[in-house]
Amino acid sequence: MATLEAFKHIDPDSGRPTVLHPNFNPKIKDWHPPDPPHKEFDPPKDRAHFADPSKPNLFSAAKQVDLTESIGSVLEGVQLSQLSPSQLDELALLVNERGVVFFRNQDLTTAQQEKLFGHYGILDVHPAQKDTKHLIIRGSSTDHRDLLNHTPWPSAGWHADTSFELNPPSYSMLRMEEHPPVGGDTAWVSQYGLYDALSPTYQRLFESLHAVHTSRLQYDTILDLWGNGPRRAPRDSHHPSVRTHPVTGLKAWNVNEGFVTGFAELKKLESDKLLDFALQHIHAADDHLVRWKWEVGSVAMWDNRCTIHRVIPGKYAPGTRRGIRTTVFGEKRKLFCRG
């Protein structure tokens, strides 16, 4: 955290930084992203559409154990590296339904993970990646509550992966290569559950709105904190605050803490107050939450169209948590229309 520009401007009385991520920060001002922005496109048909709804191929090899009523299941007795195309399709459908599916003691390599995930579509390249088909995920032992005093992006906040893209991701997979014995858990919340928990009046309100998604805060923070990247210029996009899942047909809330800054159709004060409610709604969703304790060899696969997630910050030693994440592009999200 000491690398942040704010820590170069210390008030002599309080001993604390006097500025919040100043615009004159040269690490941000002088950075010129080398890659062009992504353009909107039509991705391949979701592989879950090809699955048998009863999933006979997958369940002939694996046992499903649900972790909560609302979200999260473990598949036991199976290696992802050995799944057939039909089993992978049925796994996608299970992920659509349960939000996130977990595995332990997997033998996947990074190359195998990239190949396997290519079955689900076109692999995304994160703005912080360079010429790779995966992203290295580490986690943080920084006091994220204090960090918000000095940087505008809630880096430990609830989010769907790169939801600011014109084609936000559908599926993501994270495989853990290194992990401390305690700390570094990840939690997911069901956006089906978040929508269902709203009153009918608030459901109708959110169905009429576009959420403002932006990568600007993440862009500035990555540059300030790490001093390099991102590869692409900041992206701003408007996505429906409620969407109908293209496979399950269920309505899912589509607002998150990490990348949503307001609502396009509202005036500023209205937007700010509704966003305050949205964040409280997420943080109060214990009945639609699952928390996963990682081990080396554990894998999680989730659907960004119906879940949000966050790593739980801890005090584990730096450099003891390393995971490999792969992600595929999804379809552009359209405003929900009542019939």
Side-chain angles (χ1 to χ4, degrees), residues 47 83-90 119:
R47 294 303 309 179
L83 293 184
S84 67
S86 62
Q87 289 173 319
L88 290 173
D89 292 345
E90 292 172 5
H119 177 79

Side-chain angles (χ1 to χ4, degrees), residues 71-329:
I71 180 174
S73 299
V74 179
L75 280 187
E76 298 178 345
V78 67
Q79 287 290 335
L80 284 161
S81 62
Q82 303 302 313
L83 293 184
S84 67
S86 62
Q87 289 173 319
L88 290 173
D89 292 345
E90 292 172 5
L91 172 59
L93 180 56
L94 181 64
V95 172
N96 298 159
E97 295 167 348
R98 296 295 298 165
V100 56
V101 175
F102 303 103
F103 305 81
R104 292 204 184 277
N105 303 313
Q106 296 297 298
D107 60 7
L108 275 178
T109 65
T110 298
Q112 288 175 322
Q113 181 178 341
E114 291 176 352
K115 181 179 179 180
L116 180 154
F117 228 56
H119 177 79
Y120 294 115
I122 300 172
L123 290 171
D124 187 11
V125 177
H126 189 275
Q129 292 175 240
K130 179 182 179 181
D131 301 328
T132 63
K133 297 179 180 179
H134 66 269
L135 180 68
I136 297 175
I137 301 293
R138 299 193 184 277
S140 174
S141 57
T142 299
D143 182 347
H144 67 98
R145 296 175 180 87
D146 185 51
L147 188 63
L148 282 172
N149 283 318
H150 317 299
T151 180
W153 180 47
S155 56
W158 293 99
H159 65 282
D161 292 331
T162 58
S163 65
F164 48 80
E165 297 286 9
L166 295 180
N167 286 87
S170 52
Y171 302 105
S172 291
M173 176 177 283
L174 179 59
R175 175 179 55 86
M176 202 58 64
E177 293 187 332
E178 302 173 18
H179 207 273
V182 178
D185 299 355
T186 303
W188 284 260
V189 167
S190 168
Q191 294 195 100
Y192 297 143
L194 287 172
Y195 173 82
D196 290 344
L198 294 171
S199 67
T201 300
Y202 259 47
Q203 288 177 348
R204 290 191 294 271
L205 173 61
F206 280 104
E207 286 168 4
S208 71
L209 298 174
H210 287 86
V212 178
H213 295 246
T214 183
S215 65
R216 292 179 183 274
L217 305 183
Q218 183 192 54
Y219 176 94
D220 288 357
T221 301
I222 288 175
L223 280 166
D224 195 11
L225 194 59
W226 298 338
N228 57 31
R231 306 286 303 173
R232 301 191 297 276
R235 164 79 75 187
D236 301 292
S237 59
H238 294 176
H239 294 304
S241 297
V242 174
R243 64 167 304 172
T244 300
H245 194 283
V247 176
T248 66
L250 298 174
K251 297 175 192 175
W253 211 43
N254 188 28
V255 180
N256 68 72
E257 183 178 13
F259 300 117
V260 172
T261 58
F263 300 93
E265 291 84 359
L266 300 183
K267 297 179 180 179
K268 182 65 165 62
L269 184 58
E270 297 169 341
S271 178
D272 288 348
K273 294 303 181 183
L274 191 61
L275 186 61
D276 285 344
F277 163 77
L279 301 187
Q280 182 179 4
H281 187 55
I282 294 170
H283 282 270
D286 292 350
D287 51 341
H288 297 291
L289 176 147
V290 64
R291 178 166 173 167
W292 178 248
K293 180 175 174 57
W294 292 99
E295 298 173 351
V296 174
S298 294
V299 174
M301 179 175 169
W302 65 94
D303 188 340
N304 289 288
R305 299 165 297 186
C306 61
T307 66
I308 51 178
H309 63 279
R310 68 186 292 251
V311 63
I312 308 299
K315 298 185 181 300
Y316 48 88
T320 60
R321 187 181 191 270
R322 173 189 167 94
I324 303 297
R325 194 187 82 192
T326 46
T327 304
V328 293
F329 289 104

